[in-house]
Structures are given as structure tokens and as C-alpha cells.
Amino acid sequence: MALKARIVGLPNVGKSTLFNCLSSAKAQAANFPFCTIDAQMEQITVPDERLNKLAELVHPGRIVPATCDIVDIAGLVAKGDKLEGFTIAGADHKFHWADAKIVGNCVEVSCKDVPRPLAVRYAWAHNPLGNLYNGAGLPASPFRTDCWQGVTINNTTRY
């Protein structure tokens, strides 16, 4: 019986890179969240130098190393009727709620009020709404593509 392992984790932390290092597969690994759409599975041989030493002692008919099935879990799903939690902004830096949909391995966002978007944010709020999940059921973490200063940059709090 082979050992089985699944590689799960937050978006954009190197799951596919680890999968590629462990296996001979060439799963897509890119520097943006959710680039892997289909789960990848590979059976790898577990190297063990002790097998050769045992074979020298016992002279078996064949050597069968241990194997491990590894799975790079992927895929994007929206839990609910509609993908929520995305905002976009143009040159004016004003964010508007965006329509979002999963297309292939990307999330496409648009808003009629922002004809030329420059930045996207997902679940970026004190009490964020978001229903984007990966194929393993893990939620997408909040992210932003801009580095603009926020509205509270010069505010101070007194207690």
C-alpha cells in the first residue's frame, strides 16, 4: 500500500513548486494566486539506501522501493450563486464593487464605473465578504494589487 499525501495550503505559497520538486511532473507554477486549476497527481519513488544494503545480504529477485502518491490540490470555486468580495479602482484610486467570474485559471473582474482598472482588491475590509475557495475547500486569503496609501494614513487614535 502506497503512502498518500495531499499538498494543501493558502494561495501563492509554493504548493505547485513543491509538487514539481518532489515529482517529475511539470505543473504550472507562477507568481500569482490560483494559477493551478486542475489537481495534479504523481506517484513518486521514496529513495532508501538501506534497500541496496539489504539486497546485498538477501539477494532478492527484485527490489521494490516504497512509493508515495502526491496530489497538488487546485481549482477555483465560488461558494454561492455569485462570486463576491472583489473591488476595482482606476486612476482616481476610488474602489467600486466589481462583478467577478472564474474563467479558466483566472478571476475576471469588471465594473461599468471603472473603464480602465488599475487595482484589484479581494475581501479587503474589516469584515470582509468573500466566497472564493480552492478545490480543497480552503478560502482565498484577502489580497490587493495596489500599494496606495489608505484613507487612515494620517489619522491618529487617542485613548
Side-chain angles (χ1 to χ4, degrees), residues 7-11 13 15 134 138-139:
I7 304 171
V8 296
L10 293 173
V13 295
K15 296 178 298 297
N134 71 8
L138 296 173

Side-chain angles (χ1 to χ4, degrees), residues 10 21 26-27 29 37 56 59 70 81 85 88 98 112 115 117 119-120 126 130:
L10 293 173
C21 288
K26 300 292 182 230
I37 294 304
E56 290 173 9
H59 306 291
I70 56 172
D81 296 334
I88 59 176
K112 62 179 176 58
V120 177
H126 292 298

Side-chain angles (χ1 to χ4, degrees), residues 132-153:
L132 180 63
Y133 289 77
N134 71 8
L138 296 173
S141 58
F143 66 85
R144 61 190 275 189
T145 63
D146 65 277
C147 57
W148 301 333
Q149 292 183 349
V151 295
T152 60
I153 191 70

Side-chain angles (χ1 to χ4, degrees), residues 95-125:
F95 282 88
H96 300 268
W97 289 108
D99 295 319
K101 61 183 176 179
I102 299 168
V103 178
N105 66 348
C106 297
V107 175
E108 287 186 4
V109 294
S110 63
C111 176
K112 62 179 176 58
D113 297 327
V114 185
R116 302 191 83 188
L118 296 178
V120 177
R121 291 180 180 178
Y122 170 72
W124 200 259

Side-chain angles (χ1 to χ4, degrees), residues 12-13 28-35:
N12 209 30
V13 295
Q28 181 183 8
N31 193 24
F32 59 88
F34 311 112
C35 77

Side-chain angles (χ1 to χ4, degrees), residues 23-143:
S23 70
S24 60
K26 300 292 182 230
Q28 181 183 8
N31 193 24
F32 59 88
F34 311 112
C35 77
T36 307
I37 294 304
D38 298 318
Q40 304 282 330
M41 185 175 143
E42 187 84 8
Q43 187 172 77
I44 60 171
T45 302
V46 179
D48 190 345
E49 294 177 12
R50 297 174 297 175
L51 282 176
N52 293 330
K53 294 193 187 296
L54 286 170
E56 290 173 9
L57 294 172
V58 224
H59 306 291
R62 63 183 185 145
I63 300 173
V64 181
T67 60
C68 178
D69 295 335
I70 56 172
V71 181
D72 181 13
I73 296 179
L76 296 175
V77 294
K79 291 193 176 180
D81 296 334
K82 181 177 148 183
L83 195 53
E84 297 175 336
F86 286 90
T87 59
I88 59 176
D92 62 358
H93 295 200
K94 292 182 182 176
F95 282 88
H96 300 268
W97 289 108
D99 295 319
K101 61 183 176 179
I102 299 168
V103 178
N105 66 348
C106 297
V107 175
E108 287 186 4
V109 294
S110 63
C111 176
K112 62 179 176 58
D113 297 327
V114 185
R116 302 191 83 188
L118 296 178
V120 177
R121 291 180 180 178
Y122 170 72
W124 200 259
H126 292 298
N127 190 13
L129 296 175
N131 61 345
L132 180 63
Y133 289 77
N134 71 8
L138 296 173
S141 58
F143 66 85

